[in-house]
Amino acid sequence: MAVNHQQQSLWREVLELTKTAQDRNTDPLTWAIQLSSTLNSAADGDGPTLPSTELAHLLVSHICWDNHVPITWKFLEKALTLKIVPPSLVLALLSTRVISNRQLHPAAYRLYLEFLTRHAFSFASLVNGPNYDKIMNSIDDVLNLSQIFGLKVCESGVLLVEFVFSVVWQLLDASLDDEGLLEFASDKNFKWPTRPQDMEIDGIDGFIDKRSEHHEGLFRANTTMAIELIGEFLQNKVTSRILYLAHMNMPSHWGGFIERLRLLALKSAALRNSKVITPEALLQLASDTRGDLGRKSKTAPQKECHAVAFPGSLMSLAGQCNGTSRSALWLPIDLFLEDAMDGTQVAATSAVEILTGLVKALQVVNGTTWHDTFLGLWIAALRLLQRERDPSEGPVPRIDSSLCMVLSVTTLTVADIIEEEESELIDETEQSPSNLPKEKQAPGRRRKDLVTSLQLLGDFEDMLTPPPFVRSIANQAAAKAIMFISGLTVGNGYYESVSMNGLATSCLGNMRHLIVEACIARNLLDTSAYLWPGYVNASDSNQVPCSIATQMSGWSSLMKGSPLTPSLTNALVVTPASSLAEIEKVYEIAVNGSDDEKICAATVLCGASLVRGWSVQENTILFIIKLLSPPVPADYSGSESHLIGYAALLNTLLVGISSVDCIQIFSLHGWVPLLAAALMPICEVFGSSIPNASWTLSSGEEFSCYAVFSNAFTILVRLWRFHKPPLEQLTVDMPLVASQLSPEYLLLVRNSKLASFGTSPKDQMKSKRFSKNIKFSTDPIFMDSFPKLKRWYRQNEECIASTLTGLVHGTSVHLIVDALLTKMFRKINRSGTPLTSATSGSTNSSGSGLEDVSIKLKVPAWDILEATPFVLDAALAACAHGRLSPRELATGLKELSDCLPATLATVVSYFSAEVTRGLWKPAFMNGTDWPSPATNLSSIEQQIKKILAATGVDVPTVAGEILQLRFLYHWLP
């Protein structure tokens, strides 16, 4: 009873919050943040889990119809977008209220159709969410799906099929009724009401007669849009497959549906006038009885309609939904790979682990052989690489991380699957009475299937073209196979050192050659792969010279004892290591070499071996993390941290791993938690140091503790979405805990990983891949060990959550704020009056000059970061009051970032939050301080049209349609 009372109290509080926000016309995002805070505070006890089914009922009941006003619909849309309420349940609730009242409330019906367009064609978050079964049961209660369709199985997957079918059927009945065609249907038993049941027909007709001309136009437009949505459901790659399941499992209901669909195609005036779909096209879809719906593309996705989403009774049927392409069975792999490559966020879990589990599950669900499964995996990985070769959006290329996914992560996934089977075979052999050693060495079935899959992969020539900058490596891999066949092998894998007189350039290598080399390096294949039919071209084999001259390669020179000179370093930086022994040699130099050799070794580790050393990538990453956490020397007795003595080495490593691709590679291998734990002490120590001294490298480059701190700090904050409030972090389509990356969470994952690693048979199998020189302390690490970082993190969260307060006159923070403002705007603020509103009594004057500023700024980096939000607030206020122009503000921000690059993180967080709050006026683009964008608009428009044309999307600009939608402008954000 206490729990029910708490729940009732919570929903009363939510309703009051919504009513207050409605009365005040509160911004929907602000309402959503307040709502989320209320629900999260209740979740500490027995509150609802998100997305909340109870909240969906509450919001829809609130809107229909006592609060049918624009702001409440905007609240609902924001709740849908942020996954606070389940979209599918909201659509079900609205359908029971809006469709039957569409003539009374045409705007509400239009909004319902808009919601369908946005939320009814993707079910990934629903199927993978924590409340999947609960949501589907709620939808069943709302629409009476089990009772109407009469299927005995009430699993969530079955209910999802019934739900999609019901949505389309309701649109169909409503469209027929709008045009007076429903009476021509032979079956008068309507499954859902199309008009209000509590109003007399005469009353409806009287209302229709009194409708305004505007409502009449919107009503007709709604009918057309509903019909076009029906066509979209029948053609969409996901929903068409789901409707096919309804066709196969509910033939009697499907027959009635098709009859009404044909009636619509034959008699609907709205359909004839539609610019999107024709009656003939709809009849073609209606006459389809073979499950070919949505067959416009070669690989119709089945991710949302095969047995992964629909277990039990529909599993066998889903397995038959492969008429379009076998590759469609593996679409979940494509979706995972694309999500894993999202550069806006990193993952705390290895992509290898997730992909291994996904592939094993799909192999069981699809009932395929392992060679088909491996082939589907390789093709999905190659499709990812194809998409990244010439991306149409984004300024940052992701080719290196994509190659990591294909040649390292995918290869390790296959290795895990094969080694799992063979370890079980070895255990069985050891337990057998005969215990024959020969049987232990026999390859498992999966290894043989890998060979078959890679042989078949050669048939997909269009997908095997390598990216331009690895074409030479692919050619070398093909040349290596030709040399092997000809008996002219080069030992130790140094085939890049061979002078082949143009052989490597004339041999056309492809991605299969690189995949095979990656598998050979992982001991998944042997060199017999070079003898596969068609692996090398016969014409290339005839070009092998009788003798081949070789020269000592950089890596072979290093392994034979050559010192790590700058020239050798330059050679090793651009050539990836081919074996673990080579990487271990470089690590040994980085630990025990001279100061210059340590810098060279660190540079080598962060070079090609990190981004393209696919067979040693995970070990290279771990060596780098190990070097970022140097141990305290046994004879160390200094008062400052021992990390200060490693400044040059640490800075070299930090600069080397700072690129987008490098961080993504760390993420794909699942080592972000360990990287975060290594960066935090560096930030704490160097951020607490006063920049009185600097270091100079042998190259002449000079840097201070500010540089080391900034490099470490900017990498660290990129490991979680530091500039996003917790509510916005919940919008990602992932499990709740994975989407809330934070420093505390990363440390907890790190502690858990190290404490449990090696305890399971799977970990013991994986540990064989790692160097014996890699050992990490298993002692737990917590945020309390880094008070300065923790203090900044709390301040950053406060800046995001609310407006800035708390600057006290005369404090050290206040003095630093004044000094920073003076430095930023010294060329502008000639009067000497500080820009901070609270500094009227400051002793600052124009005569103090830059010398006083420099003295005041000889403070730890953490102190500058603490003052930065107040600096930004003062600068924005000065800009808003006309004391600074937008261009001068931008120049000052550049001065700030030049002083301490780490302040950019605070700039991003603060400005992002302030833009969301909407307190500041837009900067005036007068064409003088800032170039006018007008001259570039036409070229930008042409670029947009070119991109859309490449995707096959036609977006006509029709003035009439724009005018027609103007009415809806104030209803939706």
Side-chain angles (χ1 to χ4, degrees), residues 564-585:
L564 196 55
T565 61
S567 60
L568 181 56
T569 299
N570 293 335
L572 300 184
V573 164
V574 298
T575 307
S578 59
S579 68
L580 178 57
E582 294 165 4
I583 290 296
E584 288 177 333
K585 179 70 174 179

Side-chain angles (χ1 to χ4, degrees), residues 275 945 948-957:
K275 299 178 182 179
K945 289 181 178 179
L948 291 175
T951 62
V953 177
D954 182 22
V955 186
T957 302

Side-chain angles (χ1 to χ4, degrees), residues 812-844:
S812 59
V813 176
H814 176 265
L815 295 176
I816 295 173
V817 171
D818 273 353
L820 286 172
L821 288 170
T822 302
K823 182 177 180 64
M824 292 166 62
F825 307 113
R826 60 181 181 271
K827 297 179 181 179
I828 305 160
N829 188 21
R830 302 184 184 279
S831 66
T833 305
L835 293 176
T836 48
S837 58
T839 58
S840 58
S842 173
T843 58
N844 245 11

Side-chain angles (χ1 to χ4, degrees), residues 46 63 265 281 292 303 379 446 544 603 651 673 723 747 861 879 925:
D46 295 307
I63 292 174
D292 294 331
K303 188 254 183 182
I379 290 176
R446 296 177 186 176
V544 178
T603 304
N651 196 60
H723 62 294
L747 288 179
C879 191
M925 300 301 212

Side-chain angles (χ1 to χ4, degrees), residues 39 66 75 103 151 168 187 310 323 400 547 665 698 883:
L39 296 177
D66 294 337
F75 289 163
Q103 297 178 352
L151 290 183
V168 183
D187 183 7
F310 308 120
D400 280 326
S547 61
I665 288 170
S698 57
R883 298 178 63 188

